[in-house]
Amino acid sequence: MHKWLKISGAFLIAGLALMVGTPAAAQTERPNSLVKVGHYTASSNFLNLSQYYQTTRTTTVKAAYVPTHKFGGRVMRSLTLPKGTVVAGYLTTHKVGSRLQPQLLIYTSRLSHHRLATAQPAGYTIDPTSDTDNTPTVITTARKLRAFKRVHCPRYMPAYSHGDLYAGGAAAAISPVEPTSTSVRVTPDGYVELLTYDHTVRGGLGFYQAPTSQGKITKTVFHDPYRQLYTQHALPGLRTTAVNATGTARYRLTIKNRHQPQHIIGDPLRGIAGTFDSLYLIGGVPYYTFIGYDGASN
């Protein structure tokens, strides 16, 4: 999540102040639990606890795209998700007459460029605002809902992260300046992407263009603080290690959680919650990622 989205979202957080509690295992918590983040303990309600769903058959969903170089209305396209595709989202309900019916909201903008490009019109980019509670990708029919089953958070996803990591260390994480250099994305459908910010496109879309390099994650080994992601091909621009001469797990990318969360203090008097970012090393290079709010606001 970019800093401008963090700041606007911080106004929406209200309720719990930070409390002292017991550390909990990363990204296994349920809503209303207490999670240790550095020197603080925050409610998991304010951290990025995405739900994940896997398609049980090939299915289609609606994805929103916006003009890349000019401001204009979004267009909807049918996006095919092959059987076994993992997506991020959450299950909720909506009222139909006097009854509540389930609906699944999917964050399409978090999917890999490899998948999104299959439906992307020329001159358009996936709409990054679809990664909000107002996402246009809503599944309501019983038949469509049966095409998705709840699964655990994939091991390749960094804890509490939406999968978007930005170049820089602690100073960059707490800086109010929007990142405009390099980003690494780990997507729910199992891709790792290296993106270079595109200054030629309209604001907010710089990190949503074609990756500099990308690869399908074929294997994950997780021993905290290390996540080792394996791909069949090298990832130019990232420091990967060649580990096998053949097979699908030929190159290894090491992601290290530095376990040094950065806290940006909010302004409770103005109803602005503070935010947390986690620091990582990707191939030895510093990156950071937004992991949630502290919930401390009026």
Side-chain angles (χ1 to χ4, degrees):
M1 178 183 288
H2 297 326
K3 294 184 186 295
W4 65 271
L5 289 175
K6 287 167 55 178
I7 293 171
S8 61
F11 279 98
L12 303 178
I13 303 299
L16 297 179
L18 299 177
M19 295 167 283
V20 177
T22 303
Q27 205 148 340
T28 59
E29 292 76 25
R30 296 182 178 182
N32 303 315
S33 63
L34 297 180
V35 178
K36 192 66 179 282
V37 182
H39 300 296
Y40 302 92
T41 298
S43 168
S44 62
N45 292 339
F46 302 123
L47 299 179
N48 297 334
L49 285 177
S50 294
Q51 297 174 2
Y52 293 88
Y53 296 84
Q54 186 177 48
T55 55
T56 58
R57 55 177 170 79
T58 298
T59 189
T60 60
V61 298
K62 292 295 184 181
Y65 297 86
V66 294
T68 303
H69 293 279
K70 62 182 181 180
F71 286 93
R74 60 162 61 117
V75 299
M76 305 301 295
R77 290 291 184 268
S78 293
L79 178 66
T80 299
L81 302 179
K83 180 180 178 180
T85 301
V86 177
V87 299
Y90 68 94
L91 190 66
T92 182
T93 59
H94 68 123
K95 191 171 184 178
V96 179
S98 60
R99 297 182 302 162
L100 290 178
Q101 292 186 354
Q103 65 177 11
L104 177 63
L105 280 70
I106 296 175
Y107 298 133
T108 49
S109 66
R110 298 190 203 173
L111 291 170
S112 65
H113 183 266
H114 171 82
R115 178 55 45 203
L116 293 170
T118 61
Q120 184 167 305
Y124 281 75
T125 299
I126 188 67
D127 183 1
T129 63
S130 67
D131 194 12
T132 67
D133 288 347
N134 295 318
T135 170
T137 307
V138 181
I139 309 299
T140 56
T141 67
R143 181 177 180 277
K144 285 278 190 178
L145 287 171
R146 287 196 295 269
F148 296 87
K149 67 176 181 180
R150 179 78 182 269
V151 294
H152 292 294
C153 175
R155 289 195 299 170
Y156 46 75
M157 295 300 299
Y160 301 121
S161 171
H162 290 322
D164 49 346
L165 302 99
Y166 301 96
I174 63 176
S175 170
V177 178
E178 185 80 5
T180 56
S181 57
T182 303
S183 175
V184 171
R185 294 186 70 210
V186 180
T187 69
D189 54 330
Y191 280 78
V192 57
E193 303 174 340
L194 174 65
L195 301 112
T196 300
Y197 190 88
D198 189 341
H199 292 270
T200 68
V201 302
R202 54 176 269 202
L205 300 180
F207 281 121
Y208 289 87
Q209 307 309 307
T212 304
S213 62
Q214 61 184 321
K216 178 69 175 175
I217 301 170
T218 59
K219 174 184 174 182
T220 303
V221 176
F222 174 47
H223 295 295
D224 192 40
Y226 297 98
R227 276 181 174 79
Q228 296 176 326
L229 311 184
Y230 292 79
T231 58
Q232 186 172 2
H233 305 287
L235 300 169
L238 291 174
R239 297 176 183 173
T240 56
T241 302
V243 292
N244 293 300
T246 60
T248 60
R250 297 176 60 185
Y251 294 88
R252 181 179 66 216
L253 177 67
T254 299
I255 299 178
K256 180 183 179 180
N257 189 340
R258 298 173 66 184
H259 290 302
Q260 298 173 1
Q262 303 299 300
H263 181 216
I264 301 176
I265 298 174
D267 187 345
L269 295 179
R270 296 174 59 199
I272 304 175
T275 60
F276 289 112
D277 290 83
S278 280
L279 302 182
Y280 280 84
L281 293 175
I282 302 180
V285 177
Y287 281 81
Y288 67 92
T289 184
F290 169 67
I291 62 171
Y293 302 99
D294 61 16
S297 66
N298 288 333

